[in-house]
Amino acid sequence: MGFSGELVFGRSERPLLEAPVFGGAQEDDRGGITAWWPRPGGWQTLQFHDTLPADTDEVLRAVVEWTGAPACVARVHDSDVALVSGLEPGGDRWQTWLNLVIAAEMTDRPQAELDARVPGDAARILAWAWDADAGEGVESAAIAQTLRSREPCVEDLFSTLLDRLGFPPPTEPEARG
């Protein structure tokens, strides 16, 4: 059985878990909340193994408001598929699926219908990345290719999407003394 839960990606100089929307939640060793290795520039990914403390859209809006930076949330089902939503401080929003074949099966929609949305989704996601000071030199076609990719673990595909959008690669956190 794979991971089911949410991935929250945002930028803050403070730990993202300090955002009021998370209600003082703490990272724990029992697997409830895990912080992925950070990316330079304050970019952080939190993995919620249980349900977020609020609706996905509410969390996304609250994180963007608290950080003043673009953010996205991926709702993952059994590591097979993810519905990813992004938002900019100006209010521009996007939403797309990762692992389209499984998304089509889960939503009872033709895969061709989901695939037809990919070019527009890729353009919106790339505009979001530019607003986040990433995406320089990235072609929309490369993002579309990523959206059409199939990975056995959608969390890896989410990380690949962030990499291909031009966000700096994750770095091992410094040891805490």
Side-chain angles (χ1 to χ4, degrees), residues 20-98:
V21 71
F22 299 127
Q26 300 288 317
E27 185 176 4
D28 62 36
D29 57 2
R30 294 184 316 278
I33 301 172
T34 305
W36 288 9
W37 284 8
R39 293 171 181 257
W43 292 103
Q44 304 167 50
T45 303
L46 298 174
Q47 183 171 351
F48 288 82
H49 299 261
D50 295 319
T51 304
L52 286 170
D55 173 81
T56 303
D57 288 336
E58 183 181 332
V59 168
L60 185 56
R61 281 189 305 275
V63 168
V64 169
E65 183 179 301
W66 186 73
T67 63
C72 67
V73 176
R75 175 159 279 176
V76 178
H77 178 73
D78 203 22
S79 291
D80 291 331
V81 64
L83 179 61
V84 186
S85 303
L87 183 66
E88 297 176 29
D92 289 336
R93 187 178 191 278
W94 56 267
Q95 192 170 60
T96 194
W97 289 97
L98 297 179

Side-chain angles (χ1 to χ4, degrees), residues 9 39 45 72 128 158-167:
F9 179 71
R39 293 171 181 257
T45 303
C72 67
W128 171 86
F158 179 76
S159 187
T160 298
L161 176 63
L162 297 175
D163 292 343
R164 291 200 177 149
L165 283 168
F167 289 97

Side-chain angles (χ1 to χ4, degrees), residues 100 104-105 107-116:
L100 294 180
E105 293 170 4
T107 61
D108 287 328
R109 294 160 100 183
Q111 183 179 346
E113 177 185 321
L114 296 179
D115 189 71

